[in-house]
Amino acid sequence: MAAAKTRASSFSRNLSTAAPSLGPGLKCGPNGTVLLSSGIPDLDKILGGGFSLGSLVMVMEDAEAPHHMLLLRNFMAQGLVHGQPLLYASPARDPRGFLGTLPSPAASKDDKSRGPEPDQEKGLRIAWQYKKYFGENQLNFDGQRDGKHEYSNEFNLRNPLERHFFNGQRVDCVSIQDSPDLSILQDRCTTFLSQLPRNDGSISCAGRIAIQSFCSPQCVYSNMEWEMLSFIRSLKNMVRSSNSVAIITFPPSLLSPSFCKRWQHMADTLLSVKAIQDDDKELAQLLTGYQDMIGFLNVHKVARINTQVPVILEATTFSIKLQKRRYLVLECLNQAPVDGSSGNSDGTSGSCSSSSKTGSLDF
Amino acid sequence: MAKSICTALREGALEGELAPALTIKDSIASPFGLQVFDHVLSQLFSSILAGKSPSQGLILVSFSRSPSFYLELLKNKGISVASSDKRIQILDCYNDPLGWKDQLVEISSTVTVFREVKHMDKLFNSIIELGRGLVGGGKIRFSISIDSVDEMLRWASVSSVARLLSNLRSHEQISSIFWLLHSDLHKARVTAVLEYLSSMVASLEPSHQLANGQRGDLENFALIEHNSKNGKFHVRFKKRNGRVRVMSEEVHMEQSGINFTPLSSEGAINQGLVPKVQFNLQLSEKERIDKANVVLPFEHQGDNGKPLQIYDGRRSLVDSKQERAVAVEKEESDSQRGEIIYYRDSDDEMPDSDEDPDDDLDI
């Protein structure tokens, strides 16, 4: 290659397209992945943007609280608002009834108390070399202010979603209670995902699959543990090679421990929800904002697609609160200042992790 | 708090909600489940009769006791069944569950015999039919009590029993439902399934836990006797807002029936959660004495062997230290095996001097 400098090398970069064009509700993520929103802006932030296309999300339910339904509702509503096709399976007799409980997007941004934040950011004087790190954040805020197709919406849990969103052809509902084995659900998933093949080109739309309470005891197949596991594996493979995200919720207390572990390993992103005890004075002393909390969300695993680098979160336990009883927010746990009368403790996190009951709390 | 269970059952389900379901769970260590069941049954039935409940009738599915027992029970409680004929119906799965007998003498008009306990769907239909016959069709509600789910689990699989219970809960005419379970008759998963399906779990525990091998001890007889008549009653409510309310009471068996009293000794359970103080600022007596006896390492030994009299309230500490130092020297010189001969660098140097020998280096 020591010829004249004007001669181009025999290697040339194949720059056919600058970036794939993405449909509504999708954005580019790290490592060449495409992300879609979970419907809960806080959860998107925690997970680094949203759920990656092609990933399998599993949520471990708590038998004592219905918080997984909140996650599912927001997830499904977000997909419908963006016009993304949806497949919903549940053990209820009539799954379509659940669609009536989906929340509608929040009316205006003035409602939320988070409005002032971007303005405050502008007031900050950031040294020039650090602006590159904040650039991404500002992009996010800008993105949220344009047009109808925002990447992620705040959902008002008090208002039901308008019917025209789910009356169309895009929503398919399956009841999994009576099927003797999983073949019906398998077929429906295959048909659904065949509409969303993954090509190297642009992605016009992505699909969402939501399976609720997968190993729920009233389902006939619920004692066929190996069959359920192979279903999950085949679903994961199908989802990986299509433009969709699947979310499965299941109550881990109803599975044998070894299968529970196997299911957890199957997940690309693993979350769990926990109930919170009412009138727990010790917990009230330990945490600020205890009164508003309705439960805890733990992030156990975040999807790693096209990368070997693990995602290490600053915190893995978040409290679920309903802001103004409408909007689902996730907050980091804040330890309350220790009451002086209870002893002269330094209030370090070490002392609090000795609490035996709430051992799963991670400060 | 047994009152709150009865209130919850009495109030029944709101529109569009699953009917509240109670599991009464006991074990061999605290076998009062049947008595608690009778108590709840009579309370619920008297409130139905008094018109305090939206539920207009009660269906009792009796597996483990004869229907005549229940008729007697209600009569003894002062509730006359003859006049309340139109409010209670008993589905008799006790006398001839598998249809072995050709003919059965009819006990009373309130009792219907059911002969096919192996088929849960037929049981479901009979229950609904009986209920409709009692209160009529439409939107009028009735309550259901199931004597013991253990018997059902003998005949049918866990998933079919779970399906029956969840279908009953979601039926629009059912106001509330409760059942009894002996938890040690089943695997843990079965108990977990039934707890998953219920909105309130009431468990009976012995007031004193006995270790297994201790039955022969005289002292333990008293405990065993106490356990045979008393116990602890714990209830976990799954509230609508997703929180769990935990309550406890004491339960006493008496001739007249069962009595619930609030817990006498509190607080033992609750200590575990308060963050443990890392520094204990109070000294016990022994600790104070020991502290006084500690020899601090860097105290001045005195010049020329004479003890420095620093009075700080400790008794003859300096003397004993001096004696020890002398004794150590003697030992060293007497030892046959080896001698450590140490020549001080400079005799003016005080032992344990704070001076740094490197101070005179000029760098």
Side-chain angles (χ1 to χ4, degrees):
Chain A
M1 287 296 130
K5 285 185 198 141
T6 49
R7 180 175 152 192
S9 77
S10 49
F11 303 113
S12 58
R13 191 165 256 210
N14 186 7
L15 288 170
S16 43
T17 45
S21 72
L22 300 173
L26 300 171
K27 80 173 181 191
C28 277
N31 306 316
T33 52
V34 178
L35 305 174
L36 53 70
S37 169
S38 62
I40 306 167
D42 285 335
L43 186 60
D44 287 342
K45 253 185 253 169
I46 294 166
L47 295 175
F51 295 140
S52 314
L53 278 191
S55 68
L56 175 67
V57 181
M58 296 187 78
V59 180
M60 298 198 283
E61 306 171 16
D62 186 335
E64 293 183 320
H67 300 316
H68 57 281
M69 306 295 278
L70 287 174
L71 298 181
L72 272 178
R73 281 200 187 103
N74 280 287
F75 177 76
M76 289 163 60
Q78 181 72 80
L80 291 176
V81 161
H82 284 308
Q84 292 163 344
L86 173 70
L87 172 67
Y88 172 59
S90 99
R93 275 272 145 84
D94 179 29
R96 244 177 213 267
F98 183 63
L99 298 178
T101 64
L102 295 181
S104 75
S108 61
K109 294 256 188 265
D110 313 24
D111 254 348
K112 301 177 315 178
S113 58
R114 296 219 226 125
E117 273 185 50
D119 300 326
Q120 280 175 12
E121 279 258 336
K122 288 204 186 116
L124 267 183
R125 288 179 338 172
I126 304 171
W128 67 270
Q129 72 208 85
Y130 297 119
K131 277 221 170 98
K132 61 181 173 185
Y133 298 119
F134 286 100
E136 206 185 82
N137 234 359
Q138 283 176 353
L139 265 179
N140 263 346
F141 286 123
D142 291 338
Q144 278 180 7
R145 278 192 226 111
D146 68 23
K148 292 192 306 181
H149 288 299
E150 301 163 358
Y151 173 69
S152 105
N153 298 69
E154 282 262 335
F155 284 96
N156 183 347
L157 291 161
R158 284 246 181 120
N159 291 351
L161 192 61
E162 291 149 32
R163 299 201 77 87
H164 69 87
F165 280 115
F166 51 84
N167 269 341
Q169 297 289 351
R170 291 168 181 256
V171 184
D172 193 11
C173 293
V174 187
S175 166
I176 50 181
Q177 194 186 106
D178 292 323
S179 45
D181 54 21
L182 288 159
S183 52
I184 301 177
L185 185 58
Q186 179 99 9
D187 290 337
R188 295 287 265 272
C189 289
T190 319
T191 343
F192 181 79
L193 290 172
S194 59
Q195 312 163 6
L196 305 158
R198 183 176 287 206
N199 308 315
D200 272 333
S202 59
I203 305 173
S204 54
C205 75
R208 298 181 187 226
I209 298 182
I211 302 181
Q212 181 209 318
S213 299
F214 185 51
C215 62
S216 157
Q218 55 256 46
C219 302
V220 184
Y221 61 80
S222 57
N223 54 349
M224 299 169 19
E225 298 190 299
W226 284 111
E227 273 79 1
M228 292 196 283
L229 186 64
S230 10
F231 170 79
I232 294 178
R233 199 156 67 98
S234 76
L235 179 67
K236 178 176 172 161
N237 291 333
M238 289 196 291
V239 163
R240 189 59 75 93
S241 55
S242 71
N243 290 329
S244 59
V245 174
I247 188 168
I248 301 183
T249 76
F250 67 98
S253 53
L254 301 185
L255 289 173
S256 65
S258 64
F259 274 94
C260 189
K261 269 284 168 224
R262 287 185 170 110
W263 286 35
Q264 290 176 44
H265 276 296
M266 282 278 121
D268 290 319
T269 301
L270 182 65
L271 308 170
S272 73
V273 285
K274 267 212 142 348
I276 198 171
Q277 208 182 62
D278 211 15
D279 280 347
D280 189 342
K281 296 195 177 43
E282 285 74 21
L283 215 52
Q285 271 183 349
L286 206 56
L287 302 168
T288 47
Y290 166 77
Q291 308 300 338
D292 309 315
M293 293 183 196
I294 58 172
F296 292 122
L297 176 84
N298 268 299
V299 179
H300 297 277
K301 222 197 314 186
V302 179
R304 290 191 282 161
I305 298 188
N306 297 341
T307 175
Q308 295 278 30
V309 179
V311 177
I312 300 179
L313 301 172
E314 281 177 1
T316 56
T317 308
F318 301 91
S319 62
I320 305 175
K321 292 188 184 177
L322 284 182
Q323 212 178 42
K324 295 184 193 167
R325 295 204 208 148
R326 289 158 197 241
Y327 309 111
L328 189 68
V329 295
L330 299 173
E331 283 181 5
C332 240
L333 290 177
N334 281 319
Q335 203 176 311
V338 177
D339 187 16
S341 59
S342 71
N344 202 4
S345 107
D346 270 358
T348 54
S349 56
S351 62
C352 295
S353 55
S354 64
S355 56
S356 49
K357 187 163 145 211
T358 48
S360 59
L361 285 186
D362 173 1
F363 290 95
Chain B
M1 176 218 57
K3 274 198 203 131
S4 23
I5 302 180
C6 299
T7 316
L9 288 176
R10 183 183 74 209
E11 280 167 15
L14 294 179
E15 191 65 45
E17 217 187 40
L18 290 179
L22 167 70
T23 299
I24 301 172
K25 190 171 77 158
D26 75 347
S27 63
I28 193 80
S30 177
F32 313 128
L34 282 168
Q35 283 84 345
V36 174
F37 180 86
D38 296 338
H39 173 85
V40 175
L41 176 71
S42 40
Q43 294 280 9
L44 182 61
F45 191 54
S46 24
S47 32
I48 290 177
L49 279 185
K52 288 188 196 161
S53 165
S55 159
Q56 299 292 323
L58 177 67
I59 303 292
L60 170 61
V61 184
S62 74
F63 277 92
S64 59
R65 281 188 282 191
S66 162
S68 34
F69 172 86
Y70 288 110
L71 297 173
E72 278 292 315
L73 173 79
L74 293 175
K75 208 186 337 186
N76 290 341
K77 296 264 178 182
I79 307 168
S80 105
V81 183
S83 68
S84 58
D85 197 46
K86 289 298 158 205
R87 302 290 202 141
I88 183 168
Q89 283 285 320
I90 303 181
L91 191 62
D92 178 7
C93 305
Y94 172 82
N95 280 311
D96 189 18
L98 295 172
W100 290 347
K101 301 184 193 170
D102 290 331
Q103 269 189 22
L104 266 183
V105 179
E106 195 181 289
I107 305 173
S108 113
S109 61
T110 45
V111 179
T112 316
V113 180
F114 184 74
R115 289 198 163 98
E116 293 161 299
V117 290
K118 286 198 177 177
H119 305 274
M120 287 289 121
D121 29 1
K122 292 202 177 131
L123 179 62
F124 177 77
N125 292 331
S126 307
I127 295 177
I128 298 297
E129 225 177 83
L130 209 56
R132 286 212 175 113
L134 190 61
V135 300
K139 290 266 177 172
I140 311 176
R141 294 177 180 248
F142 56 96
S143 301
I144 303 181
S145 58
I146 301 180
D147 190 315
S148 125
V149 176
D150 311 299
E151 310 276 334
M152 288 167 71
L153 289 164
R154 272 182 69 191
W155 308 118
S157 65
V158 180
S159 67
S160 41
V161 173
R163 211 163 340 131
L164 171 84
L165 295 176
S166 74
N167 288 337
L168 284 176
R169 273 192 85 193
S170 45
H171 198 274
E172 70 257 353
Q173 270 190 283
I174 305 231
S175 159
S176 55
I177 176 171
F178 66 101
W179 58 76
L180 172 66
L181 171 76
H182 299 298
S183 59
D184 37 13
L185 292 180
H186 308 286
K187 290 188 188 163
R189 183 183 177 247
V190 175
T191 318
V193 166
L194 288 167
E195 287 181 10
Y196 175 81
L197 290 171
S198 46
S199 63
M200 296 177 275
V201 179
S203 50
L204 283 159
E205 268 150 44
S207 10
H208 306 281
Q209 297 284 353
L210 292 170
N212 267 334
Q214 286 178 0
R215 301 213 51 131
D217 216 352
L218 257 185
E219 206 178 79
N220 281 322
F221 278 139
L223 283 180
I224 295 171
E225 219 196 316
H226 185 83
N227 275 351
S228 66
K229 296 230 183 65
N230 304 290
K232 287 215 193 88
F233 190 56
H234 300 292
V235 181
R236 294 183 77 91
F237 282 93
K238 297 180 201 175
K239 291 172 63 174
R240 286 189 181 105
N241 61 3
R243 286 188 166 201
V244 177
R245 186 176 220 111
V246 177
M247 297 206 264
S248 299
E249 263 183 356
E250 282 188 0
V251 68
H252 308 284
M253 288 304 126
E254 265 131 47
Q255 279 290 64
S256 53
I258 189 170
N259 247 343
F260 294 95
T261 54
L263 266 188
S264 48
S265 64
E266 266 252 28
I269 330 152
N270 297 334
Q271 296 293 340
L273 282 186
V274 180
K276 293 205 169 47
V277 175
Q278 279 186 323
F279 301 105
N280 181 9
L281 294 180
Q282 268 68 43
L283 294 175
S284 71
E285 190 60 41
K286 180 177 178 300
E287 286 176 322
R288 216 167 327 115
I289 295 173
D290 288 342
K291 178 177 171 181
N293 283 338
V294 164
V295 176
L296 295 177
F298 290 110
E299 280 182 341
H300 288 286
Q301 313 283 340
D303 345 51
N304 306 325
K306 245 174 44 171
L308 249 187
Q309 293 289 354
I310 309 171
Y311 180 72
D312 51 3
R314 281 177 285 188
R315 39 172 216 289
S316 65
L317 185 59
V318 183
D319 293 343
S320 60
K321 209 186 341 176
Q322 195 65 358
E323 285 165 13
R324 256 200 326 162
V326 169
V328 164
E329 280 173 33
K330 267 208 216 135
E331 254 178 70
E332 279 183 359
S333 51
D334 284 351
S335 119
Q336 298 294 329
R337 265 167 286 155
E339 281 187 340
I340 301 168
I341 300 171
Y342 173 56
Y343 295 106
R344 286 193 158 291
D345 287 342
S346 143
D347 279 334
D348 322 314
E349 218 177 283
M350 299 266 286
D352 304 319
S353 164
D354 283 12
E355 232 180 74
D356 188 355
D358 293 330
D359 268 350
D360 51 2
L361 284 178
D362 262 333
I363 299 175

